[in-house]
Amino acid sequence: MARTVSPDDLLLTQVRVIRTYATLARSSGGHTTDLRHQLIADLPDLYAHPYWAEPGHSYADLVELRRTARARAWVEAA
């Protein structure tokens, strides 16, 4: 069963990744270098986080992290 609690730093990193991807999607041509560098910095922090090295994690934990991060990003954007 998926755990519903992720470390705050992992959750905040996922929120940043979601926001960066959304900003890239809205960009109409050029000037995306800084956004791409932000992704290059955040993605290793997301997927190589010590949380994933703990035993018992599954893909469902990643799905739950993304679901929670999307909800937080949506609330903070409103």
Side-chain angles (χ1 to χ4, degrees):
M1 174 179 269
R3 297 177 190 171
T4 57
V5 178
S6 299
D8 286 339
D9 62 329
L10 183 60
L11 181 60
L12 292 175
T13 302
Q14 181 66 63
V15 169
R16 274 196 317 273
V17 167
I18 289 169
R19 288 181 180 159
T20 304
Y21 274 126
T23 304
L24 274 170
R26 288 189 307 270
S27 296
S28 56
H31 308 294
T32 60
T33 302
D34 291 337
L35 295 171
R36 294 177 191 277
H37 283 126
Q38 184 65 44
L39 283 175
I40 289 169
D42 283 340
L43 289 174
D45 292 343
L46 181 65
Y47 293 112
H49 193 278
Y51 176 74
W52 302 119
E54 296 172 5
H57 291 288
S58 68
Y59 183 72
D61 293 315
L62 180 58
V63 171
E64 181 64 21
L65 173 68
R66 288 178 179 163
R67 187 198 64 74
T68 304
R70 280 189 197 108
R72 178 178 275 189
W74 178 260
V75 168
E76 291 176 359

